[in-house]
Amino acid sequence: MTAASTDTATLFIDGAWTASSDGGTREIRNPADGELVGVVSEATREDTEKAIAAARAAFDRGDWSSVPAPERGDFLLKVAARLRERKDEFAMAETLDTGKRLVESEIDMDDIANAFAYFGKMAGSNAGRVVDAGDASVVSRIEYEPVGVCGLIAPWNYPLLQAAWKIAPALAAGCTFILKPSELTPHTSILMMQVLEELGLPRGVANLVLGAGAVAGAPLSEHPDVDLVSFTGGVSTGRIIAESAAKTVKKIALELGGKNPNVIFADADFDAALDNALNAAFVHSGQVCSAGARLLVEEPIAERFVDELVRRAKQIRLGGPFDEATETGPLISPEHREKVTAYVAKAVEEGARIRCGGTWGEGDLAKGWFYLPTVLDNVKRASNALLEEAFGPVVTVETFNGEDEAVELANDTDYGLAGAVWTQDAGKSQRVARRMRAGTVWINDFHPYLPQAEWGGFGRSGFGRELGLAGLSEYQEAKHIYHNTNPQVTNWFTDHENENGKDGQAS
């Protein structure tokens, strides 16, 4: 572990590190043991407005957008290389903020570097296209320009990963931005700004404000000088952002989580499906937007499968991020643990049965914000437990018979971020995957993503996409340029005064 940081000049605005304008600070504590990680500045609305002004000025000057796209791509490749060089430092900072296992943070850093590398390669390859106008004298083409100033709001569960999915395409497109990470997990965002500064990004292109969303984040969706706001987080906050952004008709992209079905057919590879059902529900203590929190099992194997799931869930080892025996860690905060506790209590009130878990950690775990892996069965279809996210280590069990019922149950949600289907029947897997209303569907797997493949959801999971070609397009505006190389008089409107000549006589 490293010593707690004490430098509170942690806002990065217009190329300079600064403290909050009112001197406000926030303590950051490790969720695994409550130990102090650092003290950082808490931005005011005025600070965020200064960051917006800096980003606006930098964009209007063309400091970054005028840099040729291939050179912007080269810059992102340098960022990827620097992240790989400093992987250990970044992973440690992420782990101290989130309490997640160090090995998980190390994996995250690899994925972040890969995202920057992908968009670095993409930056110079999307030069637009020529459109056939049906006229040899017309050159008609589509060009892609940066959308402008971007407000980027990232969550606490994967702080830098989710930020990178926004920063990398924004820079590739030529935009400027203001990043507002979760107030609970700021340190890797601070390190990222240091890397961008060290590599020579022009001042004002990248800005960082820290603090609570209601104060530091709100101007990003409200201010007329922000052209796009990209948010990853909860539905309630997403609605507020959408309403605020609508007043200035700015572009928005929202990734708002999911209630993701994991469908297990009777002919699935039992051991692989069971192992991945545990991963789907309990990795990072279920604090994953794509967590497989709804387990749907076909009747013939349901009793055996759920019994084994419960047996295995009881064995999951909770602990601190540096204990090699640890398999999953704490929840992010005491307040979040209270929410998960209330969620499970309500499920029980509505008839659900706790098969395992449903309690806080005891003994050494009492130092942190731990909640035991929890399996709920006998959950009614109208139960809140099936309708809303727990965003914790809680999985509900439903059973089905046949493909049609599996699809009906899988789609019985207002969300549509992700889902999975497990079967050894290739035709069945494809049929079910096509019918599932979700932005990502895994077949015989759960959780992997690719930087070159779009990520996002249907319904209450939001709109817009991150990663892939569409992820870059979010930060671009398409412009049609129509060039007539041989202009002609059309005579659409007649010059009546001169139609017979200047003297009024027929010519």
Side-chain angles (χ1 to χ4, degrees):
M1 295 182 63
T2 59
S5 63
T6 56
D7 182 4
T8 57
T10 52
L11 309 181
F12 190 64
I13 300 174
D14 202 17
W17 292 96
T18 182
S20 170
S21 57
D22 69 354
T25 61
R26 177 184 290 266
E27 291 185 346
I28 307 301
R29 294 188 176 273
N30 189 328
D33 54 19
E35 291 294 320
L36 182 67
V37 176
V39 180
V40 299
S41 291
E42 187 91 341
T44 64
R45 175 177 285 270
E46 179 186 355
D47 294 324
T48 301
E49 290 174 349
K50 288 179 179 177
I52 293 171
R56 181 81 263 165
F59 184 78
D60 291 346
R61 290 193 304 264
D63 293 348
W64 184 242
S65 59
S66 64
V67 173
E71 293 182 25
R72 296 199 300 265
D74 289 343
F75 181 87
L76 294 182
L77 294 176
K78 292 176 183 177
V79 174
R82 188 63 58 87
L83 287 169
R84 293 186 177 108
E85 292 170 4
R86 297 176 61 179
K87 173 181 173 179
D88 292 347
E89 179 186 1
F90 273 77
M92 178 64 75
E94 189 96 322
T95 282
L96 291 175
D97 276 3
T98 62
K100 70 172 66 174
R101 295 190 304 159
L102 183 59
V103 64
E104 294 181 34
S105 294
E106 290 171 344
I107 293 170
D108 291 347
M109 296 309 120
D110 290 336
D111 289 344
I112 291 162
N114 290 340
F116 273 96
Y118 169 74
F119 284 108
K121 294 172 184 175
M122 279 292 299
S125 64
N126 193 23
R129 70 185 193 275
V130 174
V131 177
D132 184 0
D135 184 338
S137 64
V138 171
V139 178
S140 187
R141 66 187 189 276
I142 306 298
E143 295 187 352
Y144 297 100
E145 299 182 355
V147 71
V149 177
C150 303
L152 312 179
I153 307 174
W156 47 257
N157 58 334
Y158 289 91
L160 191 57
L161 181 69
Q162 296 289 342
W165 288 9
K166 304 175 192 301
I167 294 170
L171 290 178
C175 298
T176 63
F177 69 84
I178 307 94
L179 173 65
K180 209 296 285 184
S182 167
E183 63 271 26
L184 302 177
T185 53
H187 282 104
T188 45
S189 292
I190 294 170
L191 293 176
M192 174 57 71
M193 293 301 114
Q194 291 175 0
V195 166
L196 298 179
E197 180 186 25
E198 291 165 2
L199 291 176
L201 192 68
R203 70 178 179 86
V205 175
N207 302 271
L208 174 69
V209 294
L210 308 177
V215 177
L220 298 179
S221 57
E222 299 169 355
H223 203 288
D225 281 344
V226 176
D227 300 297
L228 171 148
V229 59
S230 177
F231 169 76
T232 300
V235 172
S236 59
T237 304
R239 287 197 187 103
I240 294 170
I241 287 172
E243 291 171 1
S244 297
K247 295 174 183 177
T248 53
V249 200
K250 59 172 52 62
K251 192 174 181 181
I252 59 174
L254 303 176
E255 201 267 75
L256 306 179
K259 194 66 182 170
N260 312 293
N262 186 17
V263 180
I264 316 295
F265 282 94
D267 65 348
D269 182 317
F270 189 96
D271 292 337
L274 176 65
D275 178 75
N276 280 271
L278 292 163
N279 294 346
F282 301 128
V283 162
H284 195 15
S285 286
Q287 299 171 121
V288 184
C289 56
S290 58
R294 292 179 61 209
L295 180 65
L296 280 59
V297 191
E298 198 165 20
E299 282 284 3
I301 65 167
E303 183 175 358
R304 178 187 168 213
F305 194 94
V306 176
D307 286 347
E308 280 297 291
L309 181 77
V310 169
R311 184 183 69 82
R312 291 283 301 277
K314 289 178 179 178
Q315 298 178 48
I316 293 174
R317 296 175 177 175
L318 279 69
F322 308 108
D323 183 347
E324 293 185 359
T326 293
E327 294 174 319
T328 195
L331 299 180
I332 189 64
S333 68
E335 295 79 11
H336 188 58
R337 184 171 62 174
E338 291 288 353
K339 290 180 182 178
V340 174
T341 300
Y343 175 94
V344 172
K346 185 171 183 178
V348 172
E349 288 176 9
E350 294 174 340
R353 177 175 57 155
I354 298 176
R355 294 290 302 274
C356 65
T359 60
W360 296 6
E362 299 177 346
D364 290 342
L365 298 182
K367 298 177 183 178
W369 305 313
F370 292 89
Y371 195 90
L372 299 183
T374 300
V375 178
L376 299 175
D377 68 4
N378 196 39
V379 184
K380 304 297 188 293
R381 282 188 74 170
S383 172
N384 182 73
L386 294 183
L387 299 176
E388 301 297 339
E389 283 185 293
F391 218 68
V394 182
V395 61
T396 60
V397 177
E398 301 165 78
T399 61
F400 67 88
N401 279 301
E403 289 182 42
D404 288 342
E405 188 176 13
V407 172
E408 178 188 356
L409 291 174
N411 289 338
D412 189 19
T413 173
D414 292 333
Y415 293 92
L417 183 60
V421 52
W422 288 82
T423 175
Q424 297 186 72
D425 183 330
K428 182 194 298 182
S429 69
Q430 293 295 329
R431 289 192 300 272
V432 173
R434 283 195 296 269
R435 294 173 66 189
M436 288 175 69
R437 295 280 297 166
T440 294
V441 178
W442 296 288
I443 297 174
N444 296 334
D445 212 328
F446 210 102
H447 278 320
Y449 73 92
L450 303 170
Q452 61 269 34
E454 279 74 0
W455 179 265
F458 300 0
R460 286 178 68 192
S461 289
F463 49 83
R465 290 295 183 267
E466 296 188 295
L467 304 178
L469 289 171
L472 178 59
S473 295
E474 292 290 343
Y475 296 88
Q476 295 175 320
E477 296 282 15
K479 176 181 284 185
H480 178 203
I481 298 178
Y482 182 103
H483 182 189
N484 186 346
T485 63
N486 185 29
Q488 302 291 319
V489 173
T490 67
N491 286 317
W492 186 277
F493 296 104
T494 302
D495 185 350
H496 296 286
E497 291 183 356
N498 295 313
E499 61 183 333
N500 293 319
K502 291 184 178 181
D503 59 359
Q505 303 298 315
S507 57

